[in-house]
Amino acid sequence: MAATSIMKIPCKMAELSLDISLNCGQSFRWKKSLTGEWIGVLGGYLWLMTQDETCINYRVVQPSVKIEPASSPSAVKTELKECIDYEHILKDYFQLDIDLESLYRQWSLADPNFNQVAKNFAGVRMLRQDPVENLFAFICSSNNNIQRITGMVEKLCENYGNQLLTHEDVAYYSFPALESLAADKVESRLRTLGFGYRAKFIQQSAAKIVENGGRDWLMNLRKVSYPEAKTALMTLPGIGAKVADCICLMSLDHSVAIPVDTHVFQIAKASYVPHLSQTKSVTDKVYKEISAHFQSLFGPYAGWAHSVLFSADLRHLKAEPSPAKKRSREKSQDVSSKEKPKKDEIRRKSKK
């Protein structure tokens, strides 16, 4: 299917880095193509995105929607072209109403370590994801790495979602409905697909959410307090404090949540809570102490600040040059290329 023409949203790289925000373990459905486009399914559409210094550039591939005209039951089905506000979808997903540069300045003044890290990790923005997709992706994250989590999420979509479209010979799927994941045979099927013990948690959590009121119950956790939302999530099978905090932060609008995993534990010991340097594991007490420290230091958007530090600690992002470094390198190369003719000219003059 054909994509729309290129559309643009004004946005500086300091406000959003696609290369970090889509690749730091928040969402697992985005991939970067060989041409440099980020490709992923969002809101039932396929998105293809790049960015430059001033804009997010995006195209959308929309599935065909077939309808039977009410006035003519025997008529041939026709394509319904919906009027979609794509810009609103992207702005909501990236939470572009939040002034990230201002937050970075506040955090940098509050914390010299953050100030140093931020120089190479600008534009790390929290995504506002669909809570259903986010929840089950993070059940898959237990004792797992980004590559394997991505594979599991893809298997969920391929086996229990609906095929939306095929683009450049690749099929893309919607994320499964709760009811599909709650079915009795889901656990055994997922075990054969390599989900291990997570298979039980996926099926049981889906069934529990359906019993609680389904998607509406989950969406309502955006409206309650952060402690209430976290407590409710932890009643679901397979969801402990860290996974609950990930869901609160990444899809339920609780920006103060601090997911404490191995990376954050080591960061806290090294730079923030030194008396934990000899502590070997994250007990409930240690988890709460680290969370409270970051919340006190960084304020209402502490979870966003923590994600900058977290991203800077990821091996694959350390190896990838930051936008700031790329720009510095490009400027250096540009200066070098301008200087070279001058040196050649000097050589020619000296020969004369």
Side-chain angles (χ1 to χ4, degrees):
M1 298 187 65
T4 63
S5 58
I6 294 176
M7 295 175 275
K8 296 177 179 290
I9 296 177
C11 182
K12 296 183 291 185
M13 284 187 173
E15 283 292 332
L16 169 64
S17 167
L18 291 180
D19 284 350
I20 301 177
S21 300
L22 297 181
N23 197 26
C24 65
Q26 295 187 65
S27 174
F28 306 95
R29 301 199 69 193
W30 294 98
K31 293 183 179 179
K32 196 171 187 180
S33 72
L34 295 176
T35 61
E37 281 187 311
W38 283 100
I39 304 175
V41 173
L42 169 63
Y45 308 105
L46 183 68
W47 300 75
L48 304 95
M49 291 188 291
T50 60
Q51 74 178 136
D52 54 39
E53 293 285 347
T54 60
C55 291
I56 303 169
N57 311 297
Y58 66 98
R59 299 182 293 148
V60 182
V61 186
Q62 181 178 332
S64 295
V65 181
K66 302 292 185 179
I67 61 167
E68 188 80 30
S71 60
S72 179
S74 61
V76 177
K77 291 182 180 181
T78 59
E79 183 175 322
L80 173 63
K81 292 186 177 179
E82 298 179 75
C83 181
I84 303 297
D85 189 345
Y86 297 121
E87 182 172 320
H88 173 76
I89 293 173
L90 268 196
K91 284 184 174 179
D92 180 72
Y93 185 66
F94 289 121
Q95 306 194 73
L96 293 182
D97 59 320
I98 293 170
D99 184 350
L100 189 60
E101 284 187 286
S102 176
L103 289 174
Y104 265 64
R105 285 193 293 271
Q106 293 174 35
W107 300 329
S108 293
L109 288 172
D111 175 25
N113 182 60
F114 181 92
N115 183 48
Q116 189 63 32
V117 168
K119 293 175 182 177
N120 291 321
F121 283 84
V124 183
R125 183 173 282 276
M126 298 310 303
L127 309 175
R128 190 176 194 241
Q129 300 180 61
D130 175 75
V132 173
E133 179 175 331
N134 185 224
L135 185 148
F136 289 100
F138 274 89
I139 288 180
C140 293
S141 75
S142 176
N143 297 314
N144 224 338
N145 58 51
I146 290 176
Q147 186 176 359
R148 289 197 67 229
I149 301 165
T150 299
M152 287 182 175
V153 172
E154 286 180 352
K155 287 177 183 176
L156 283 179
C157 296
E158 290 169 1
N159 286 273
Y160 295 100
N162 297 316
Q163 183 172 332
L164 295 172
L165 52 86
T166 299
H167 178 70
E168 295 183 348
D169 299 323
V170 178
Y172 293 90
Y173 298 81
S174 64
F175 195 82
L178 283 165
E179 292 75 13
S180 298
L181 295 177
D184 292 337
K185 295 182 180 180
V186 167
E187 179 184 345
S188 59
R189 171 63 175 159
L190 291 181
R191 285 187 181 276
T192 66
L193 292 172
F195 282 70
Y197 64 88
R198 304 170 193 86
K200 176 176 66 175
F201 295 147
I202 289 171
Q203 190 277 327
Q204 290 182 351
S205 283
K208 184 72 178 289
I209 294 170
V210 170
E211 180 184 325
N212 288 344
R215 182 181 180 82
D216 288 344
W217 175 81
L218 199 53
M219 293 298 291
N220 190 60
L221 297 184
R222 286 181 170 176
K223 302 174 185 177
V224 303
S225 69
Y226 159 59
E228 188 177 348
K230 182 175 179 177
T231 299
L233 290 171
M234 289 176 66
T235 64
L236 301 174
I239 296 184
K242 189 206 79 172
V243 170
D245 275 328
C246 286
I247 300 162
C248 282
L249 177 63
M250 299 171 190
S251 63
L252 296 179
D253 299 341
H254 298 294
S255 57
V256 74
I258 306 288
V260 180
D261 70 347
T262 302
H263 290 279
V264 176
F265 180 44
Q266 296 302 329
I267 292 167
K269 289 200 298 181
S271 304
Y272 294 95
V273 197
H275 72 264
L276 295 177
S277 60
Q278 301 303 313
T279 304
K280 302 299 182 182
S281 61
V282 183
T283 63
D284 287 346
K285 180 181 177 182
V286 168
Y287 191 108
K288 290 176 181 176
E289 182 176 359
I290 292 172
S291 292
H293 182 87
F294 281 122
Q295 288 162 351
S296 175
L297 180 61
F298 294 121
Y301 285 87
W304 288 51
H306 126 284
S307 293
V308 179
L309 301 173
F310 173 85
S311 297
D313 196 57
L314 294 176
R315 186 181 304 169
H316 68 278
L317 291 181
K318 286 180 181 178
E320 178 73 18
S322 69
K325 285 183 178 178
K326 287 179 182 177
R327 289 194 297 274
S328 176
R329 181 185 299 171
E330 288 167 358
K331 288 180 181 177
S332 176
Q333 290 171 345
D334 186 49
V335 169
S336 177
S337 65
K338 288 178 180 178
E339 290 178 346
K340 189 172 181 180
K342 293 180 181 179
K343 291 178 181 178
D344 290 342
E345 184 66 24
I346 291 170
R347 291 194 189 98
R348 284 198 296 271
K349 287 181 179 179
S350 64
K351 286 179 181 180
K352 290 179 182 179

